């Protein structure tokens, strides 16, 4: 039992099976030794000195531990486990206090590591509670520095240096390991209690019993010396799990902020804010400690990063989070028509929401439309657990996902949705590149080959080397790399040959030929099959599967005009699409310019996230960036038209499902159309073609 002022101190020393001294507890090794002695401050008397070995789950000792402590695995094997030793500690301390007629005491240790970095983390992992006395203690080093300000800095003090400063003549070799340390600490305390110093122990260190949740405002000032970033967290971990990982260290109120990715899901990282820099430095020592079976990386972070994740400005959120010590559950996938009554009915009476409707927070877009997310407050863990049992149960016609959440996640989700613009920013105006004299084939003639199993590092040059002499039979700009959704090579490529016979010969000659350390499969295919894959479909033994965004009938004839920003169109066509190389020049010149744009031009594809690869080959679509000065000069030149060729293809996304041709044309009222160009782009019925070619002032169906 502890008191606000201490009549008695219990001087405590411990050691682990691993690191010793300044690195105590940094390697997650278990406690193997506890030594303690009661000191009665008013009478300046001491009780019996006790020494207990602790049986660890892993009896393997580090070389430093063997050398310093002299302990052996055989000796530890006969000891009691930690929970039994701590019970004996409480009983023996109580007995010693009765001798002095005392009933309150406070622990006193050499520094903070034994309490914060060893005892609290280990007991938390082993799932048993520490006695109340371990949540308050005196740091002898800090007390010594307060009593003797001219001594070394607190971080540089040790039992030995404090004894030397006071001139205490003790020989460490004469005593058992742990016994000397406790006896010397007692001697130091008596020196501090002498008439010269008359030190009073009044301000103990404290360990928080539990993590406190709470909101964080963007207007707060967060010291960068108090923030860390934890990486590698299990995706289902909550703020309480993270607080448990840092058990023994004092996290600031609302100081755990789980990070979300672009899709609003947790990315395995969290920012944690501690009450001071000393606690943050201790947290950094837990780098690569384990949470379950996963090790967690711990790095320094900044206050700006924490506010970006955890800070909020919404009064609604602040009011929602103002109820302290609540368990927050996130609901995802709610029907857009769901009301507060629907959610309360879904949760049921077995998990009552704190404050009823006031304990619900629906996430909405700036225009008030629901996002399908909501946060719910519960007053205790039992109610929250009952709610989590409803994970993936049905509300209306949708299943609902339920997860543990945090105050910082509430702020983060609200910030993300509330910052979404009502009208998305329009992209840079685009105009078509001058059409080249070649196109990607769409027929059924099998004049193409597919390469499968390419090394991911393979480029077009590697493919040309792989083809060997057959490169002379490739159509100009006929090499097409298939990319995944991240724009990286997928391991597939298509090559357009000059004829079906040439494609057959290449497939026979190069099939399962080695490229670097992998063999590559080569199959003959048609231009239609190639287009299916380039547009996001799949080609396998079962046949063709169209991409998810286009219906099969309209897909086969779909082609997209190459697009380029307006400033890039000021360049001459020769700069965009180099001329083809003749076979006679193959031996003398590098093959790069024949099959893809020149290396001097940095080209990018224009495609949506639905496509594993762009609508057309990356070798024929490109964006070129021009310096502002060059754009201005070219724009004023009389010989360079701003629009080298009229007509452009525009793609519309987000159309209502019942939208017809009439609504689309009405949307573009006032703009000129090029109906003749549609024949080569999409398949049109005679009725649709007549609508496109009709005068735009009186279009009707």
């Amino acid at each position: 039992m502890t008191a606000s002022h201490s009549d008695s101190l219990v001087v405590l020393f411990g050691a682990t099976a691993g690191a010793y001294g300044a690195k105590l507890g940094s390697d997650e090794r278990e406690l193997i030794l506890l030594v303690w002695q009661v000191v009665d401050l008013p009478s300046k008397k001491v009780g019996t000195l006790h020494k207990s070995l602790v049986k660890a789950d892993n009896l393997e000792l580090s070389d430093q531990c063997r050398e310093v402590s002299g302990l052996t695995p055989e000796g530890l094997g006969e000891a009691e486990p930690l929970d039994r030793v701590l019970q004996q500690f409480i009983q023996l301390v109580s007995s010693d206090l009765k001798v002095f007629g005392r009933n309150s005491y406070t622990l006193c240790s050499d520094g903070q590591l034994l309490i914060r970095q060893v005892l609290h983390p280990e007991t938390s992992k082993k799932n048993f509670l520490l006695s109340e006395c371990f949540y308050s203690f005196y740091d002898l080093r800090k007390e010594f520095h307060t009593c003797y300000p001219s001594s070394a800095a607190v971080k540089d003090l040790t039992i030995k240096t404090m004894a030397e400063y006071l001139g205490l003549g003790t020989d460490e070799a004469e005593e058992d390991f742990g016994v000397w340390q406790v006896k010397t600490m007692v001697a130091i305390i008596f020196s501090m209690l002498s008439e010269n110093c008359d030190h009073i122990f009044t301000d103990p260190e404290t360990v928080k019993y539990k993590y406190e949740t709470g909101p964080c405002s963007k207007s707060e000032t967060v010291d960068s010396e108090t923030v860390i970033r934890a990486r590698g967290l299990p995706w289902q971990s909550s703020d309480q799990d993270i607080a448990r990982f840092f058990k023994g260290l004092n996290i600031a109120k609302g100081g755990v902020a789980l990070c979300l990715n672009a899709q609003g899901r947790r990315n395995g990282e969290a920012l944690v804010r501690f009450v001071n820099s000393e606690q943050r430095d201790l947290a950094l020592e837990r780098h690569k400690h384990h949470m379950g079976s996963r090790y967690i990386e711990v790095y320094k972070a900044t206050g700006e990063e924490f506010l970006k994740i955890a800070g909020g400005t919404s009064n609604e959120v602040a009011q929602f989070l103002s109820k302290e010590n609540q368990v927050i559950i996130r609901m995802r996938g709610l029907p857009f028509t769901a009301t507060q009554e629907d959610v309360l009915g879904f949760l049921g009476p077995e998990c009552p929401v704190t404050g009823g409707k006031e304990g619900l927070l629906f996430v909405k877009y700036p225009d008030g439309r629901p996002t399908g997310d909501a946060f719910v407050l519960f007053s205790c863990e039992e109610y929250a657990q009952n709610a989590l049992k409803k994970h993936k149960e049905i509300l209306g016609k949708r299943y609902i996902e339920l997860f543990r959440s945090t105050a910082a996640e509430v702020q983060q989700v609200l910030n993300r949705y509330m910052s979404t613009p009502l009208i998305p920013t329009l992209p840079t105006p685009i105009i078509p590149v001058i059409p080249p004299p070649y196109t990607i084939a769409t027929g059924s003639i099998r004049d193409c080959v597919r390469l499968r199993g390419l090394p991911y590092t393979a480029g077009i040059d590697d493919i040309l080397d792989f083809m060997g002499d057959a490169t002379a039979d490739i159509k100009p700009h006929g090499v097409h790399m298939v990319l995944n959704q991240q724009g990286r090579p997928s391991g597939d490529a298509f090559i357009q040959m000059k004829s079906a016979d040439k494609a057959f010969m290449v497939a026979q000659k190069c099939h399962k030929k080695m490229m670097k350390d992998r063999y590559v499969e080569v199959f003959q295919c048609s231009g239609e099959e190639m287009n299916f894959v380039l547009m996001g479909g799949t080609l396998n033994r079962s046949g063709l599967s169209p991409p998810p965004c286009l219906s099969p009938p309209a897909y086969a004839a779909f082609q997209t005009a190459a697009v380029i920003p307006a400033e890039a169109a000021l360049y001459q066509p020769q700069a965009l699409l180099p001329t083809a190389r003749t076979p006679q020049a193959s031996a003398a010149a590098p093959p790069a310019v024949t099959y893809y744009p020149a290396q001097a031009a940095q080209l990018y594809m224009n495609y949506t996230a639905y496509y594993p690869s762009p609508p057309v080959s990356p070798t024929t679509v490109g964006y070129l960036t021009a310096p502002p000065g060059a754009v201005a000069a070219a724009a004023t030149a009389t010989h360079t038209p701003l629009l080298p060729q009229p007509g452009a293809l525009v793609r519309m996304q987000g159309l209502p499902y019942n939208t017809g041709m009439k609504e689309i044309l009405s949307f573009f009222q006032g703009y000129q159309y090029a109906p003749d160009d549609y024949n080569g782009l999409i398949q049109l019925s005679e009725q649709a073609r007549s609508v496109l070619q009709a005068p735009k002032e009186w279009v009707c169906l």
Side-chain angles (χ1 to χ4, degrees):
M1 182 176 179
T2 61
S4 57
H5 60 87
S6 300
D7 294 329
S8 301
L9 298 180
V10 177
V11 179
L12 183 67
F13 177 83
T16 69
Y20 175 72
K23 290 295 183 180
L24 184 70
S26 63
D27 53 4
E28 289 188 284
R29 298 304 301 274
E30 296 171 272
L31 191 72
I32 59 171
L33 174 68
L34 273 181
V35 185
W36 68 91
Q37 188 173 30
V38 173
V39 178
D40 185 60
L41 297 180
S43 64
K44 298 181 182 179
K45 294 181 180 180
V46 297
T48 305
L49 191 147
H50 302 277
K51 178 178 179 180
S52 290
L53 298 180
V54 182
K55 183 179 181 180
D57 294 337
N58 181 6
L59 294 178
E60 182 181 354
L61 305 180
S62 68
D63 294 338
Q64 184 185 24
C65 178
R66 289 174 180 269
E67 180 181 353
V68 174
S69 67
L71 299 175
T72 63
E74 292 75 17
L76 294 174
E78 300 176 358
E80 296 286 348
L82 180 59
D83 55 343
R84 294 289 300 276
V85 171
L86 292 178
Q87 291 176 7
Q88 295 173 7
F89 169 83
I90 299 298
Q91 295 170 0
L92 292 173
V93 168
S94 298
S95 299
D96 291 341
L97 288 175
K98 289 180 180 179
V99 175
F100 300 111
R102 312 294 180 187
N103 57 12
S104 66
Y105 64 93
T106 305
L107 299 179
C108 181
S109 65
D110 171 33
Q112 312 229 355
L113 301 182
L114 175 62
I115 305 294
R116 295 191 185 274
Q117 298 285 69
V118 178
L119 279 169
H120 278 281
E122 183 173 341
T123 54
S124 177
K125 290 179 180 178
K126 294 182 177 180
N127 293 314
F128 62 86
L129 297 176
L130 278 173
S131 173
E132 183 184 354
C133 66
F134 291 99
Y135 288 86
S136 178
F137 66 98
Y138 288 106
D139 182 345
L140 183 59
R141 299 184 186 186
K142 288 185 177 181
E143 299 294 330
F144 183 87
H145 188 74
T146 301
C147 187
Y148 303 101
S150 60
S151 61
V154 173
K155 63 184 180 64
D156 297 324
L157 290 174
T158 63
I159 297 176
K160 186 174 183 180
T161 58
M162 289 187 288
E164 291 175 351
Y165 182 88
L166 297 174
L168 300 177
T170 57
D171 188 358
E172 185 175 358
E174 294 181 359
E175 302 284 357
D176 290 340
F177 178 71
V179 174
W180 177 86
Q181 282 80 357
V182 170
K183 286 184 175 181
T184 305
M185 290 169 68
V186 171
I188 293 171
I189 291 172
F190 283 154
S191 296
M192 295 168 60
L193 295 175
S194 64
E195 296 181 358
N196 295 333
C197 297
D198 197 20
H199 183 73
I200 301 177
F201 292 84
T202 58
D203 189 17
E205 299 286 320
T206 59
V207 179
K208 287 189 175 183
Y209 286 92
K210 63 179 182 178
Y211 167 67
E212 297 178 281
T213 61
C216 176
S217 172
K218 283 188 178 293
S219 61
E220 289 187 33
T221 300
V222 179
D223 185 2
S224 294
E225 296 300 314
T226 63
V227 182
I228 60 95
R229 179 184 294 273
R231 181 180 299 165
L233 299 166
W235 69 268
Q236 72 273 25
S237 59
S238 66
D239 54 350
Q240 298 296 338
D241 296 322
I242 296 170
R244 185 177 182 182
F245 174 80
F246 289 108
K247 184 68 174 176
L249 305 180
N250 293 339
I251 299 175
K253 183 177 180 180
V256 177
L258 294 165
C259 301
L260 307 180
N261 59 20
Q263 289 73 41
R265 300 178 184 271
R266 297 172 187 173
N267 63 3
E269 295 188 6
L271 294 171
V272 185
R273 177 188 178 189
F274 294 90
V275 295
N276 54 44
S277 59
E278 180 183 31
Q279 304 289 306
R280 193 281 304 265
D281 293 340
L282 292 175
L284 292 172
E285 293 296 325
R286 300 196 186 183
H287 179 59
K288 292 196 173 181
H289 282 204
H290 288 76
M291 180 185 289
S293 60
R294 304 187 63 168
Y295 71 84
I296 309 301
E297 302 175 52
V298 182
Y299 303 99
K300 291 182 179 180
T302 65
E304 291 78 7
E305 291 176 313
F306 182 83
L307 285 176
K308 183 178 179 181
I309 298 299
T313 58
S314 171
N315 292 330
E316 183 183 13
V317 176
Q319 183 178 359
F320 176 76
L321 297 175
S322 62
K323 302 177 181 64
E324 298 182 358
N325 301 322
Q326 299 290 309
V327 183
I328 305 175
I329 297 296
R330 180 181 180 183
M331 302 180 70
R332 191 166 62 199
L334 292 169
F336 295 144
T337 57
T339 63
Q340 293 177 327
E341 291 77 8
D342 294 333
V343 175
L344 293 175
F346 173 80
L347 294 172
E350 63 272 16
C351 38
V353 177
T354 302
K357 294 181 180 180
E358 294 181 359
L360 296 176
L361 178 64
F362 286 90
V363 183
K364 299 180 180 179
Y365 289 106
D367 59 357
R369 291 181 296 117
T371 64
D373 280 28
F375 293 93
V376 189
L377 294 179
F378 296 99
S379 59
C380 65
E381 185 67 28
E382 179 185 357
Y383 295 158
Q385 288 290 347
N386 291 338
L388 291 173
K389 293 177 182 178
K390 296 180 179 292
H391 180 59
K392 292 195 174 181
E393 288 190 7
I394 302 299
L395 174 60
K397 295 182 179 180
R398 305 189 64 175
Y399 71 85
I400 310 301
E401 299 175 289
L402 289 94
F403 308 95
R404 288 183 175 273
S405 188
T406 67
E409 185 173 2
V410 175
Q411 295 280 22
Q412 203 174 164
V413 172
L414 266 293
N415 291 343
R416 184 185 303 275
Y417 281 112
M418 292 305 294
S419 62
T420 303
L422 293 176
I423 301 178
T425 304
L426 294 176
T428 304
I430 56 176
I431 60 176
V433 177
I434 297 177
Y438 48 84
T439 59
I440 297 179
T442 60
S444 59
I445 301 176
R446 301 176 64 79
D447 57 352
C448 303
V449 291
R450 179 187 184 186
L451 276 61
R452 187 170 66 186
L454 295 169
Y456 294 125
T457 57
I460 295 182
D461 286 329
D462 299 309
I463 293 176
L464 298 178
D465 292 338
F466 175 81
M467 299 282 290
D469 296 337
T471 55
D473 300 319
I474 300 176
K475 287 184 179 180
H477 302 270
V479 179
H480 310 283
M481 303 288 290
V482 180
L483 308 179
N484 60 20
Q485 291 184 357
Q486 288 74 40
R488 301 188 182 98
S490 66
D492 280 25
F494 286 91
I495 300 176
Q496 292 178 272
M497 307 302 294
K498 292 182 178 179
S499 67
D501 293 338
K502 300 295 184 183
F504 176 80
M505 294 298 296
V506 169
Q508 294 295 318
K509 179 180 178 181
C510 298
H511 184 57
K512 292 194 175 182
K513 181 179 174 182
M514 299 298 295
M515 179 185 294
K516 297 183 179 180
D517 57 345
R518 301 185 64 175
Y519 73 85
V520 179
E521 298 175 288
V522 183
F523 307 100
Q524 187 180 7
C525 66
S526 66
E528 181 181 11
E529 294 170 337
M530 178 182 69
N531 269 327
F532 261 73
V533 177
L534 290 178
M535 283 294 291
T538 57
L539 172 62
N540 49 43
R541 294 179 180 178
S542 302
L544 295 173
S545 298
C549 57
L550 297 175
S551 60
Y555 183 80
F558 185 85
Q559 293 182 0
T560 302
V563 291
I564 188 169
E567 61 268 23
L570 302 176
Y571 288 92
Q572 294 299 318
Q574 291 79 4
L576 301 179
L577 300 170
T579 56
R581 180 190 60 178
T582 60
Q584 291 78 5
S586 299
V593 296
T594 304
Y595 306 98
Y596 53 94
Q599 296 293 335
Q602 181 67 34
L603 300 180
Y604 301 92
M605 287 69 70
N606 180 26
Y607 63 98
T608 71
Y610 291 108
Y611 301 143
S613 81
V616 292
S617 165
T619 66
T620 58
V621 180
Y623 284 168
L624 293 177
T625 303
V631 174
T636 56
T638 57
H639 64 279
T640 306
L642 181 62
L643 296 174
Q645 179 173 343
L649 180 65
V650 178
R651 178 179 181 183
M652 302 176 67
Q653 289 182 307
L655 292 171
Y657 294 119
N658 58 351
T659 300
M661 190 70 68
K662 181 178 179 180
E663 286 79 11
I664 295 176
L665 294 176
S666 298
F667 179 82
F668 287 106
Q669 185 69 33
Y671 293 87
Q672 294 181 345
Y673 309 104
D676 294 339
D677 295 343
Y678 292 156
N679 296 334
L681 296 175
I682 55 176
Q683 290 184 343
L684 299 175
S685 65
E686 292 301 325
Q687 181 186 17
R689 183 174 290 105
S690 64
V691 170
L692 287 172
Q693 294 174 349
K696 303 306 178 294
E697 290 74 18
W698 47 271
V699 170
C700 62
L701 292 177

